[in-house]
Amino acid sequence: MTDTVRIFDTTLRDGEQSPGVALSTQEKLAIAEQLARLGVDYLEAGFPQASPGDFEAVSRIAENIKGPTITALARCNRQDIEQAARALEKADKARIHVFIATSPIHMQAKLRMTPEQVLERIDQMVRVARMYVDDVEFSCEDATRSQVEFLVQAGQLAVDAGATTLNFPDTVGYTTPREYFQLITHLRKAIADPRITLSVHCHDDLGLAVANSLSGIEAGCRQVEVAINGIGERAGNASLEEVVMTLTARQDQYHVQHHIKTQEIYRASQLVSQLTGMPVQPNKAIVGKNAFRHESGIHQDGMLKDRSTYEILTPEAVGWGMTKLVLGKHSGRHALRQRLEELGLHASQSQIDQIQQRVKTLGELKSDINDQDLEAIWQEEVGQVRRSRNTELVHWQVSTGSHNRPVAYVSVRVGQEIREDSGSGDGPVHALFQAFARALSLDHVQLTSYHLAPISPGEAGLASVRVEIHGYDCETRGQAADSDVMKATAVALHEALAYLFERVQNVVA
């Protein structure tokens, strides 16, 4: 691997052009610092002529960020180029990125210029840029809808005028991987100057930005222009993390190296998402929430035996932390047993079967069962919660409203006998308590404590209910956890009263 692909990051320029995104200078500096830690070769800091704020941000980044070559964008006119040069004055390493459209539709409809005028402007403005910096990149905007021979003319003219990098963007995300490979291959042969680096810059309008960028690299481009999380105009740019990790994972195909510190990728993704207000979709490759999470029982079993069965990359490689086997309705026993062991919770096989059924039931209500949920379920099935042996809760129901006194109905099985009764009270919990006490013939008992505590957040999150009941010179407790608070209350009340009922029966016997 002797070839190196240079990573040109345009998060702060093209990425910030995403509709609805407006970063302050301080926010841009924070992202630039992370991009420097990430190890990008070129950091396109902005478009200084666009606004005073853009000029200030480029100037501050040029002054404070060390490592990458700081790049500023400029149209093919003197004012833009001179403004870019002023913004880059304090940079250790500076590049001016000059561009002009070369497709017939852009030249005619947007620029109102003839091809000859465009070529003349390229020659003049690249020379102006070289007066200020030694490193000049020239881009043919909308290259993939331009005439190939015109691209050759424009590129050669830019090289003769002093450009060191030629970029052929798929500005509107129009091309396909095979077509782009053929275009870059032709341009590489036609502009055969070993001192020149060819570059790709692809947009994702058809979802092909990463694939097209990789085709450009295959064809010989040694610079790729990307953005964190793939943000940018319209559907965005090629995603830095996807391009870089493809080059990393498939070195057998691309035979190139890069300078990115991949362990910084996830941190960069999170920072950009937070500051731009653009959330990362859960199934986004490399940095999405689900990129290294496994819920299917089949997948989890494979992962526990050998991670490479379902992971071609490790989450540690991109700064994600560890793989997570997600507990949910698709989870298997192997993942459940491992997670219980990690939490120090021991259970027999039959208890694991019961816990798994509870997990699957809860998984129908919430997408991610966390450790607190699992501990609460374990506590009910395995822990020290007192359970009755001969009394089973068959059914419960509570009715309440703004103008109605709460009424509860319960049905319990005592041995082979079904006992049903109802009760009313000051609230639904009191009504349930009264119904259970009547069904179990427990007079003179009192509910001395009722405590409700959330276990996990969200509408479907679990809550823990704990009750204490006093009567017949003894005290007992019941506890239950469920996403349905009233159900958990009913179970806790039943467990406590059933235990008290059994003690009274034993005494009588």
Side-chain angles (χ1 to χ4, degrees), residues 30-44:
I31 292 174
E33 288 171 356
Q34 178 57 30
L35 292 173
R37 283 193 291 269
L38 183 62
V40 302
D41 299 286
Y42 298 93
L43 195 166
E44 190 165 45

Side-chain angles (χ1 to χ4, degrees), residues 94-129:
R95 169 186 283 187
I96 295 178
H97 181 189
V98 181
F99 76 98
I100 195 168
T102 53
S103 66
I105 182 66
H106 275 247
M107 289 190 290
Q108 295 166 15
K110 185 181 76 173
L111 299 179
R112 310 295 173 119
M113 294 172 68
T114 65
E116 291 74 26
Q117 289 173 318
V118 169
L119 291 174
E120 182 181 2
R121 183 71 63 84
I122 293 169
D123 179 61
Q124 292 174 348
M125 293 302 113
V126 171
R127 292 181 187 278
V128 170

